Amino acid sequence: MPRAICTRHFTRRRRILFVGYLRNIVCWGRSLVFSGVVLSLFSTAALALLGSTTTLTSSANPSAFGQSVTFTATVTGLVVTPTGTVTFKDGATTLGTGTVNASGQVGIGQATFTTSALTGGSHAITAVYGGDIVYNASTPSVLTQTVNPNASSTSITSSINPSAFGQSVSFTATVTGPGGTPTGTVTFKDGATTLGTGTLNGSGQATFATSALTSGSHAITAVYGGDTNFNGSTSSTLTQTINPNASSTSVTSSANPSAFGQSVTFTATVTGPGGTPTGAVTFKDGSTTLGTGTLNGSGQTTFATSALAVGSHAITAVYGGDTNFSGGTSSTLMQTVNQNASTTSVTSSINPSSFGQSVTFTATVTGSGGPPTGTVTFKDGATTLGTGPLNGSGQATFATNALTGGSHAITAVYGGGINFSSSTSSVLMQAVDLPSDSVKLRNLQLVVTKIVAQSSGQAISGAIEAAIGEGFSEHSEPIAPSSNGLRFNLVSEEPANSRVANAFEDIEKPKKTPTPPAKDLLVWADVRGTGWTTSPSKGDINGGQVNALAGVTSKLTTDLLIGAFTGYETFAYSSLNLSGRLKGDGWTAGGYVGWRFLPNLLFSGTIGHSNLNYGGTAGLASGSFPGDRWLATGGLTGRYKFNRAWEIEPSARAYALWENEKDYIDNLGTMQPRRTFMTGRASVGIKSTYWWAWSNTLTAAPYVGVYADYYFTTDNATVLSSIPEFVRGLSARVDSGLSLKDAGGATFALGGELGGLGSGNFKIWSMRARAAIPF
């Protein structure tokens, strides 16, 4: 074979072999690499299937609340040390995580978690290993971690110590403990008694305030009941001192000054802050103890006495104190006890008496609080007859046969005593050798003239009140009923131009009852007939009188009017007991004023003077005498209308008369002395009038009034004891009537009044009938 050919063949074979070697080497390399990868994957898969175990330990078990506890989780594997994280749980609650670190031993890793936030009680702690590339996750068994509550410490303070009774005191309990702030409640106690509770705030404090602690020392403690994290505890004892409060005592008198023998009630009032004092109060007159009393629920007590002597008394009330209040003494109350008023009366053993006949005068002195003591002086006018000492019954006597003929003004003058003031009796007219008929005539004068005065006072005051009321009234009838008799209103006719205007108005408007014109000038007349009847024991007096009055009223403003009046009276009265009759007449003149100072309330006042002529007979005695009389009245009257029909008039009125009668000598030659007296009446009551349109042409006005009366009188002369005073004291009076009026103004009225109801001594009545046609 040629060389060249051989050379190429050799070279090509070598190349083929070299490439084959290279291929083999590559194949072997690939096999080795594949085998390593496979072996590596196989090893990894084998290791990934390896399990791990986790154990859990605590650094302190049991531990105390707030104490730091470290939990250690140990993860155990094979040759490779586990890596990754461990989750620490309290039951289902995750506490935290820890990283697994090598423990220094092959195949063992550890993770830790430290906490001081576990609450008191048992906790199921677990450590969950999450696994890594080599080891699976694992969960150890449960570790029961016991956390015991911490001990607590309780202290208590007072807002003020010592305090006063009734003062509010706040107790503050402070509870502390390691690891946190205690919660819950604190019970505040006074010894074994629970005062109240308080809830701990975020600072571990609770408060309780009270003002109910009694005076003295109180062992106050605060008992903390504990909570989950802290045990209960009790504070040391706080001694709270409650001092008694100061008290204030005052004393008052029911009557100061008082009269001897009058019962006086002293009232002590004890007060103090924080409550009502209790206990006893001693009442003293200077250093002398009068008595004691126990305070009631209002801090008051009373003591009544009627044994204080005349003079000044330094009254104090001494409070003895109690648990909560200190004692004290009131300021001094100066109680003045005045002499008691006394009343002296004198009687005669026989009156009239004969000349030289022995007459015994008996003086009786009375007064509240005991029988008066001392002496009585018997006088005949200004002449002293003699004296006599009062006996245990308050009576003194004096007998004499030295009285001269005629009338003697006998009085008994009590000179007073330690406890009673002096007093003088009314005059007893002792007749000596006087005809009995003269004495009867005198007593007829003394009794009947008061009746005449009372009747005139009622008539005049009633007429003036009616005139004033009419001046302000919207019902201006020409004749109207009233409690004082028959009253006429005489008003001038309307001006012509008013009549013409009214005529046109009547054409345009339906017919209606005409309304009388308003009056600035009112002329009126009033007539009253009065009758009196007394019981036989009061003289058996009967009779009556007529008072006729007329006047004119001028209305100055809508709320002010004045007027003048005049009148005539005639009277006749008889007495069966005195076998006599007294009659007479007189004229009266005066003025009055009315002021409506409120829309429904007016004031009225009257002054009048009368000149009188009296003539009387009693048996064979007869005589006549003049007299003059002053009259004053005053009153308040309300007027209220309802539905334009009802009219209500409440009133309070009074009148008083002062009469002076001259002395005279009767036909039997007996001197009858000068005499003065005062009498009057105060009344309160109400009258109701109903203005009733009976028809289109007739209006009725029925009315009724009810009044309470008090009659009063004084006299410088004394009647016979067999005919005592009777025009005095309380009684009642009823007044009623009816007025009918047609459209033309014609009026017919009936009325009546009965007084003296309830007195038992007298009756006074009046009857009224009237008819009138306006003009």
Side-chain angles (χ1 to χ4, degrees):
M1 173 179 300
R3 183 176 173 86
I5 295 173
C6 290
T7 303
R8 286 196 304 269
H9 179 74
F10 177 79
T11 304
R12 181 178 183 186
R13 186 177 182 182
R14 288 182 59 184
R15 187 183 296 161
I16 292 171
L17 289 175
F18 179 74
V19 171
Y21 291 151
L22 289 176
R23 289 179 176 171
N24 288 336
I25 291 171
V26 170
C27 289
W28 291 342
R30 288 179 177 173
S31 297
L32 290 175
V33 170
F34 178 76
S35 298
V37 171
V38 172
L39 179 61
S40 175
L41 291 175
F42 177 79
S43 299
T44 301
L47 290 175
L49 296 177
L50 292 178
S52 65
T53 60
T54 304
T55 60
L56 181 63
T57 60
S58 170
S59 62
N61 193 3
S63 61
F65 170 72
Q67 181 179 354
S68 180
V69 179
T70 299
F71 297 107
T72 301
T74 302
V75 183
T76 304
L78 295 178
V79 178
V80 179
T81 300
T83 61
T85 60
V86 174
T87 301
F88 295 86
K89 291 189 174 184
D90 181 0
T93 302
T94 298
L95 297 176
T97 60
T99 302
V100 178
N101 296 313
S103 63
Q105 299 181 28
V106 177
I108 297 176
Q110 287 184 329
T112 61
F113 176 77
T114 302
T115 181
S116 60
L118 294 179
T119 60
S122 294
H123 299 266
I125 307 298
T126 56
V128 180
Y129 172 55
D132 59 8
I133 194 171
V134 177
Y135 296 99
N136 288 327
S138 62
T139 301
S141 59
V142 175
L143 168 66
T144 300
Q145 177 69 33
T146 299
V147 180
N148 294 326
N150 255 333
S152 65
S153 175
T154 302
S155 62
I156 186 172
T157 59
S158 169
S159 61
I160 182 170
N161 193 7
S163 60
F165 170 72
Q167 183 178 2
S168 180
V169 179
S170 292
F171 297 109
T172 300
T174 302
V175 183
T176 59
T181 301
T183 61
T185 59
V186 174
T187 300
F188 295 86
K189 289 190 173 185
D190 180 3
T193 303
T194 297
L195 297 177
T197 59
T199 302
L200 291 173
N201 60 20
S203 300
Q205 288 186 325
T207 61
F208 175 77
T210 180
S211 59
L213 295 178
T214 58
S215 296
S217 295
H218 298 264
I220 307 298
T221 54
V223 180
Y224 171 53
D227 62 5
T228 304
N229 301 321
F230 293 94
N231 291 322
S233 60
T234 300
S235 70
S236 58
T237 299
L238 167 69
T239 301
Q240 178 70 34
T241 301
I242 309 294
N243 294 325
N245 251 330
S247 65
S248 175
T249 304
S250 62
V251 63
T252 59
S253 170
S254 61
N256 193 9
S258 60
F260 170 73
Q262 179 181 355
S263 180
V264 179
T265 299
F266 297 111
T267 300
T269 302
V270 184
T271 58
T276 302
T278 60
V281 173
T282 301
F283 294 87
K284 289 190 172 187
D285 179 3
S287 59
T288 303
T289 298
L290 297 176
T292 60
T294 302
L295 292 174
N296 59 20
S298 300
Q300 290 185 325
T301 186
T302 60
F303 176 77
T305 180
S306 58
L308 295 178
V310 171
S312 295
H313 298 265
I315 305 299
T316 55
V318 181
Y319 171 52
D322 63 5
T323 303
N324 299 320
F325 293 93
S326 59
T329 301
S330 69
S331 57
T332 300
L333 167 69
M334 295 307 299
Q335 176 71 33
T336 301
V337 180
N338 295 327
Q339 287 184 322
N340 218 337
S342 65
T343 301
T344 302
S345 62
V346 64
T347 59
S348 171
S349 61
I350 182 170
N351 193 9
S353 61
S354 301
F355 178 75
Q357 184 179 4
S358 179
V359 179
T360 300
F361 298 110
T362 300
T364 302
V365 183
T366 58
S368 59
T373 59
T375 60
V376 174
T377 300
F378 295 87
K379 290 190 172 185
D380 179 4
T383 304
T384 298
L385 297 176
T387 61
L390 291 172
N391 59 20
S393 300
Q395 289 186 325
T397 60
F398 176 78
T400 181
N401 58 0
L403 294 177
T404 60
S407 296
H408 297 266
I410 305 299
T411 55
V413 180
Y414 170 55
I418 297 175
N419 298 319
F420 293 91
S421 60
S422 61
S423 59
T424 301
S425 70
S426 300
V427 175
L428 168 67
M429 294 307 300
Q430 177 70 33
V432 180
D433 285 335
L434 292 178
S436 60
D437 288 345
S438 293
V439 175
K440 290 181 180 179
L441 179 61
R442 175 63 171 177
N443 284 285
L444 183 68
Q445 171 191 352
L446 299 183
V447 173
V448 173
T449 53
K450 287 184 181 178
I451 294 177
V452 175
Q454 276 284 354
S455 298
S456 295
Q458 294 182 36
I460 296 173
S461 64
I464 300 303
E465 290 291 342
I468 293 174
E470 183 65 27
F472 292 115
S473 174
E474 296 178 1
H475 303 286
S476 304
E477 291 79 6
I479 301 178
S482 72
S483 61
N484 55 290
L486 187 63
R487 184 175 72 255
F488 301 91
N489 297 328
L490 308 178
V491 187
S492 60
E493 195 175 19
E494 291 179 290
N497 57 351
S498 297
R499 292 198 302 271
V500 173
N502 289 340
F504 282 104
E505 185 179 9
D506 290 340
I507 294 173
E508 297 174 357
K509 296 182 179 180
K511 294 293 183 179
K512 61 180 181 179
T513 302
T515 301
K519 301 180 289 296
D520 291 330
L521 190 65
L522 176 68
V523 180
W524 55 269
D526 194 292
V527 179
R528 178 188 180 107
T530 306
W532 281 79
T533 301
T534 71
S535 63
S537 63
K538 303 301 181 183
D540 200 14
I541 298 171
N542 291 276
Q545 66 190 73
V546 175
N547 289 80
L549 295 149
V552 60
T553 301
S554 176
K555 202 168 185 181
L556 302 180
T557 68
T558 57
D559 295 315
L560 180 65
L561 57 81
I562 60 173
F565 69 94
T566 185
Y568 173 77
E569 62 186 271
T570 179
F571 46 85
Y573 293 90
S574 63
S575 171
L576 291 178
N577 288 357
L578 299 175
S579 302
R581 178 181 177 83
L582 185 70
K583 62 181 180 178
D585 59 7
W587 287 92
T588 302
Y592 55 90
V593 62
W595 176 32
R596 184 165 56 187
F597 57 93
L598 290 176
N600 294 313
L601 190 64
L602 63 89
F603 165 79
S604 59
T606 308
I607 295 292
H609 182 263
S610 303
N611 289 313
L612 307 163
N613 294 299
Y614 292 99
T617 61
L620 298 177
S622 64
S624 61
F625 54 92
D628 68 276
R629 179 195 306 143
W630 282 97
L631 167 71
T633 75
L636 293 173
T637 303
R639 178 168 294 177
Y640 303 93
K641 296 180 181 179
F642 303 93
N643 299 326
R644 301 184 62 85
W646 283 106
E647 189 171 81
I648 304 297
E649 293 185 13
S651 61
R653 301 166 182 163
Y655 62 80
L657 305 103
W658 295 264
E659 185 165 323
N660 176 58
E661 299 162 0
K662 294 186 177 181
D663 53 8
Y664 66 99
I665 299 175
D666 64 24
N667 67 324
L668 299 180
T670 303
M671 178 67 182
Q672 303 288 8
R674 185 184 184 93
R675 182 262 187 126
T676 60
F677 69 88
M678 185 274 288
T679 189
R681 186 186 74 187
S683 303
V684 293
I686 188 169
K687 183 177 78 172
S688 175
T689 304
Y690 182 70
W691 298 91
W692 180 19
W694 185 287
S695 66
N696 291 335
T697 60
L698 186 64
T699 301
Y703 69 91
V704 62
V706 180
Y707 303 90
D709 300 324
Y710 177 74
Y711 293 87
F712 51 91
T713 184
T714 60
D715 203 331
N716 72 335
T718 304
V719 300
L720 288 173
S721 60
S722 60
I723 309 177
E725 292 283 0
F726 62 88
V727 189
R728 67 170 64 201
L730 292 170
S731 67
R733 175 165 46 95
V734 177
D735 182 53
S736 181
L738 173 67
S739 173
L740 298 175
K741 175 184 175 183
D742 64 16
T747 303
F748 175 74
L750 292 174
E753 179 181 283
L754 180 61
L757 300 177
S759 69
N761 295 327
F762 68 94
K763 293 291 182 292
I764 177 172
W765 53 268
S766 66
M767 294 295 294
R768 303 181 295 276
R770 67 184 183 279
I773 298 175
F775 58 90

